[in-house]
């Protein structure tokens, strides 16, 4: 007999389910279930992960959730079609957004109003008067659940369920109230329950289940368990067959409400792009730029991404109108369209950047555009997005915070009854040795190697590793939609006031094809903005990132002396040690400098070969002219991800799709292990094109360095622009630059006293805090030549301002 499991919680029910969505799907497939419904509490947090796993293993996934009702018992609902899925998302969104973070609840009438396209199952019997209104809201779509856990109370619960189903005139349907994918995960389920209740496993008592029967079971085992109710068992498959909603059917569209009359998104983007080109190239647009622009616009139109670029253009335009300094970076700097729209500040055509690193027809994935804003004013930008599109059409991407290392061990240890002292000692040895701790190491830490609780803590902590703990906010990811976002993915309140987040993280939305924009905060932009204002006030000179004089020899002289305290990206000790060795004299030298001192180039053994070649100590040899074109700028050393992609295509014969796959692996957190699958293909491809095995393996070893964090060239170039700007300001206006840094704290590598000492070494008079003339912020005096410390520099001093709304004073 076939069987579909209809009630199943994953670990995305947070401290309730004890299995990953992928584990549940894989086990359901192996057991031969005809379908699996993932029904986490008031959320679709794990839906994408389960969806991808179900596609991989050929299992039909039912999209659902268990909803908490304020005036009724919990009820499980399933999406029968796309309309039902939209209603499910809207219901979960309302349930979450009308309550503080971590809480949920709906009045039954709200569920009834959006019951179209949904099927319902009451997992546990309840009083008739509480259930009858729900059953009426789901005509021919309401079911009463029947569950046997082989524990006390089964018979009484089954009798109540049977009576309730008869009185309502609805069918009984079997389920197993699944919380684990295998019985061996039950001890961890007990630990999670103990953590949820703030107690230990030993003291939890009846708050723990008496056995491990709430696990996935195959059709045969369920048929034996319900041999006397074959019709209720068969209805599981019948109900599952009515649920056809799939995440593959989601259709994401960009906001387009601001389009001028008669224009499509593609037409409007073209007009804005060419208007921007006139600003970028006042002397005339070079033919190669027009060629690149046309190539990009065709690709953007083919992928239907015009609305994405227009949305970001609108956000950046708002920031500029408000005087908020901003700049795009990352792979977006590879795009000439982004440059024309003034989203980015690097000319990708002049720098020869690879557009396919940003957008490619081969992968058809959403582009990733990062924009940095002044960190003190970014909230204005975020709230503009919320206000413009509404909470129902805009939300930030969530970040799932998982149990890792010490936290996993501490939670498991406390649940197992270890003392805090024991947990602390166990955490320390685990930090050094992992969860496989030898008896000798335990004895050295003063712990008994034969204490069963210690051993169980280590094994349970290893299982708990990677489990979701709670939701946080992604550093800056925003999703905006034309239709209600709350009908595409559930939205809920964040802990931070004024923020709402969707229930999927960035990897989830990438897999489904939702586009996000990253609106990030950068402290140096705040400092630069304040510095420009000080220079305008005290020196009468109008400056911006675009008007700072380029390629100033005095600036490079300063950098060669490693005089970079307070300078963006090149102020660390490692960068200071590198600067006199690299001796930058051009902007591209700064691009290389920023990229070179990263774990990737260091692990990939790229640093010393580059320095030897730059200093003339080693001859630069190129095995072919094609390779020279790719690696010539970096003296034969592949420093950037774009170079790795080009090299794979030219030297090893990778297709554009294969090269992009390599790029994605290089950016993955498990890059080093995942990269091995490309080694044979790369080396053999190089050999077939006449390159030596030694050369091919050297290049591939260079690639391995990117697994430890390396920059794309476009990212490094964007950062180099800010590094040069901050260097120029430090060189020519040290008093204003340091004042701006002090007024933007906390940021950077150095404490205020170090910044003050540095500016004094540059001949600037620093005057102490004086209640008669100091303001809260540091200021300039004597025509901008002297720096007066502000009251903010006094430790423990707080700024009080009048709060008109409360007729009082607030910090």
């Amino acid at each position: 007999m076939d069987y579909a499991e209809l009630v199943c919680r994953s670990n995305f029910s947070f401290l309730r389910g004890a299995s990953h969505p992928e584990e549940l799907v894989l086990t359901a497939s192996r057991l031969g279930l005809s379908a699996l419904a993932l029904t986490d509490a008031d959320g679709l947090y794990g839906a994408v992960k389960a969806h991808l796993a179900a596609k991989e293993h050929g299992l039909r996934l039912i999209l659902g959730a268990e909803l908490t009702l304020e005036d009724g018992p919990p009820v499980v609902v399933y999406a029968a079609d796309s309309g039902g899925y939209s209603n499910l998302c809207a219901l979960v969104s309302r349930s979450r957004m009308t309550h503080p973070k971590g809480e949920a609840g709906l009045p039954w009438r709200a569920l009834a109003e959006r019951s179209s396209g949904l099927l319902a199952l009451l997992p546990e019997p309840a009083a008739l008067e509480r259930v009858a209104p729900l059953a009426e809201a789901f005509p021919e779509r309401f079911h009463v659940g029947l569950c046997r856990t082989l524990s006390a109370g089964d018979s009484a619960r089954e009798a109540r369920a049977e009576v309730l189903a008869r009185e309502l005139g609805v069918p009984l349907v079997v389920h197993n109230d699944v919380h684990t994918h295998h019985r061996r995960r039950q001890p961890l389920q007990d630990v999670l329950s103990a953590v949820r209740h703030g107690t230990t496993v030993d003291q939890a008592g009846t708050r723990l289940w008496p056995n491990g029967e709430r696990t996935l079971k195959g059709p045969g085992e369920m048929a034996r368990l319900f041999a006397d109710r074959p019709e209720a068992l068969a209805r599981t498959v019948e109900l599952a067959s009515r649920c056809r909603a799939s995440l593959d059917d989601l259709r994401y569209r960009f906001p387009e409400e601001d389009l001028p009359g008669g224009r499509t998104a593609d037409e409007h983007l073209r007009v804005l792009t060419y208007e921007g080109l006139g600003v970028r190239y006042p002397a005339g647009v070079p033919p190669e730029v027009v060629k690149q622009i046309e190539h990009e616009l065709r690709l953007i139109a083919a992928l239907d991404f015009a609305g994405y670029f227009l949305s970001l253009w609108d956000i950046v335009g708002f920031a500029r109108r408000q005087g908020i300094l901003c700049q795009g970076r990352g792979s977006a700097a590879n795009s000439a369209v982004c440059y024309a729209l003034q989203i980015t500040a690097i000319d990708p055509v002049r720098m020869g950047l690879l557009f396919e690193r940003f957008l490619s027809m081969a992968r058809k994935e959403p582009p990733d555009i990062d924009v940095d804003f002044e960190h003190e004013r970014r909230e204005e930008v975020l709230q503009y997005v919320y206000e413009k599109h509404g909470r129902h059409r805009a939300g930030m991407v969530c970040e799932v915070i998982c149990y890792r290392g010490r936290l996993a061990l501490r939670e498991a240890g406390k649940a197992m009854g270890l003392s805090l002292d024991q947990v602390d000692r166990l955490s320390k040895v685990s930090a050094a040795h992992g969860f496989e701790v030898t008896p000798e190491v335990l004895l050295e830490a003063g712990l008994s190697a034969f204490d069963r609780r210690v051993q169980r803590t280590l094994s349970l902590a290893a299982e708990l590793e990677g489990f979701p703990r709670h939701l946080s906010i992604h550093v800056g990811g925003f999703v905006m939609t034309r239709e209600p976002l709350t009908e595409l993915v559930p939205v809920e309140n964040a802990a931070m006031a004024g923020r709402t987040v969707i229930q999927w993280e960035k990897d989830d939305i990438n897999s489904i094809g939702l586009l996000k924009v990253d609106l990030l905060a950068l402290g140096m932009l705040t400092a630069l903005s304040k510095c420009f204002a000080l220079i305008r006030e005290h020196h009468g000179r109008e400056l911006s990132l675009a008007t700072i004089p380029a390629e100033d020899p005095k600036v490079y002289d300063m950098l060669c002396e490693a005089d970079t305290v307070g300078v963006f990206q090149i102020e660390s000790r490692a960068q200071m040690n590198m600067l006199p060795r690299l001796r930058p004299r051009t902007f591209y030298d700064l691009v290389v400098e920023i990229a070179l001192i990263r774990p990737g180039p260091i692990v990939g053994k790229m640093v010393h070969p580059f320095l030897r070649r730059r200093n003339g100590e080693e001859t630069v040899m190129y095995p072919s002219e094609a390779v020279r074109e790719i690696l010539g700028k970096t003296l034969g050393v592949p420093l950037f991800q774009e170079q790795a992609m080009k090299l794979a295509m030219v030297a090893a014969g990778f297709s554009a799709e294969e090269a992009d796959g390599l790029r994605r692996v290089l950016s993955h957190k498990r890059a080093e292990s995942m990269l091995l699958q490309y080694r044979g293909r790369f080396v053999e491809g190089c050999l077939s094109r006449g390159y030596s095995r030694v050369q091919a393996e050297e290049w591939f070893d260079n690639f391995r360095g990117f697994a430890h964090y390396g920059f794309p060239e476009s990212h490094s170039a964007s950062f180099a622009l800010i590094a040069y700007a901050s260097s120029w300001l430090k060189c020519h206006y040290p008093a204003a630059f340091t004042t701006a840094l002090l007024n933007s704290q906390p940021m950077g590598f150095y404490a205020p006293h170090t910044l003050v000492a540095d500016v004094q070494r540059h001949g600037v008079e620093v005057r102490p805090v004086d209640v008669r003339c100091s303001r809260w912020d540091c200021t300039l005096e004597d025509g901008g030549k002297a720096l007066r410390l502000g009251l903010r520099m006094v430790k423990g001093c707080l700024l009080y301002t009048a709060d008109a709304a409360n007729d009082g004073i607030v910090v």
Side-chain angles (χ1 to χ4, degrees), residues 408-642:
L409 200 141
R410 290 182 67 86
E411 293 288 74
K414 288 188 291 185
M416 293 305 296
L418 297 182
S419 68
L420 291 179
D421 178 61
Q422 288 175 307
V423 169
D424 286 338
R425 280 181 281 160
L426 196 56
S427 296
K428 290 178 182 178
V429 297
S430 177
H433 301 277
F435 295 121
E436 299 295 329
V437 182
T438 64
E440 292 77 16
V441 171
L442 289 174
L443 288 172
E444 289 179 12
L447 296 166
S448 172
F450 305 103
D451 188 333
R452 184 176 177 275
R453 293 178 304 163
V454 171
Q455 296 296 338
R456 292 291 288 160
T457 294
L458 289 168
S459 63
L460 289 166
E463 290 186 49
L464 186 58
E465 177 91 3
F467 265 48
R469 184 174 184 268
H470 65 273
L471 289 196
S472 182
I473 307 177
H474 183 269
V475 65
F478 238 111
V479 174
M480 295 164 285
T481 56
R482 191 183 312 176
E483 286 78 22
L485 176 64
T486 50
E487 296 182 2
L488 190 68
V489 53
V491 179
E492 63 181 61
N493 294 318
M496 184 175 181
R499 300 280 186 90
T500 51
V501 298
I502 65 173
Q503 290 186 344
W504 294 342
E505 59 184 354
K506 64 174 185 176
D507 290 341
D508 294 334
I509 66 171
N510 286 340
S511 301
I512 295 301
L514 304 188
L515 270 69
K516 68 175 175 65
V517 295
D518 283 323
L519 310 180
L520 307 172
L522 191 63
M524 183 51 72
L525 289 180
T526 303
L528 291 180
S529 179
K530 291 181 177 182
C531 187
F532 292 151
L534 288 167
I535 292 171
R536 181 168 56 250
E537 177 185 353
H538 294 277
H539 300 279
R541 186 174 182 181
E542 191 71 42
L543 285 171
S544 69
L545 282 173
T547 59
I548 285 178
E551 305 295 57
D552 188 331
K554 290 184 178 179
V555 172
Y556 292 114
D557 290 341
M558 181 185 79
L559 297 182
C560 289
E561 296 173 1
D563 185 6
T564 58
V565 170
V567 172
F568 181 67
Q569 284 289 305
I570 52 176
E571 62 177 342
S572 70
R573 291 299 178 190
Q575 290 282 7
M576 285 184 173
N577 288 334
M578 177 59 66
L579 284 165
R581 301 166 67 189
L582 183 66
R583 302 194 63 78
R585 302 307 307 177
T586 66
F587 176 76
Y588 197 78
D589 290 341
L590 269 185
V591 176
V592 171
E593 167 77 28
I594 287 173
L596 205 56
I597 304 302
R598 303 288 159 187
I602 293 170
V603 173
K605 300 178 182 177
M606 307 174 199
V607 178
H608 294 297
F610 180 86
L611 288 176
R612 288 195 299 268
R613 295 173 189 184
R614 180 174 173 83
N615 296 332
E617 301 168 12
E618 181 179 302
T619 304
V620 184
M621 302 291 291
Y622 300 101
S624 71
E625 278 303 311
V627 171
R628 179 192 293 272
E629 289 182 13
I630 298 170
L631 302 181
K633 292 191 296 184
T634 53
L635 306 180
V637 179
L639 287 179
F640 302 109
Q641 290 181 3
E642 293 94 335

Side-chain angles (χ1 to χ4, degrees), residues 687-798:
L687 291 177
S688 68
R689 283 160 178 75
Y691 299 100
S692 70
R693 181 176 293 274
V694 172
Q695 178 66 82
E697 291 182 346
E698 179 184 331
W699 282 333
F700 196 82
D701 286 340
N702 291 153
F703 294 171
R704 291 178 61 193
F706 290 113
H708 297 269
Y709 188 64
F711 270 2
E713 185 177 9
S714 53
H715 189 95
S716 189
S718 299
F719 272 4
L721 188 65
I722 301 176
Y724 178 82
S726 57
S727 300
W728 191 91
L729 292 171
K730 177 181 174 68
C731 179
H732 294 282
Y733 295 95
F737 180 66
T738 302
T739 301
L741 287 178
L742 293 173
N743 291 339
S744 304
Q745 294 297 306
M747 59 165 286
F749 272 78
Y750 300 103
H753 66 84
T754 303
L755 297 173
V756 168
D758 178 73
V759 77
Q760 287 175 322
R761 285 193 294 271
H762 288 79
V764 175
E765 179 187 357
V766 178
R767 296 171 179 173
V769 175
D770 189 326
V771 294
R772 297 169 299 175
C773 48
S774 287
R775 301 178 186 174
W776 174 254
D777 283 334
C778 301
T779 54
L780 294 177
E781 298 179 350
D782 291 350
K785 296 178 182 178
L787 191 165
R788 171 72 68 179
L789 295 179
L791 293 170
R792 67 185 300 151
M793 293 294 103
V794 179
K795 185 176 181 180
C797 186
L798 299 177

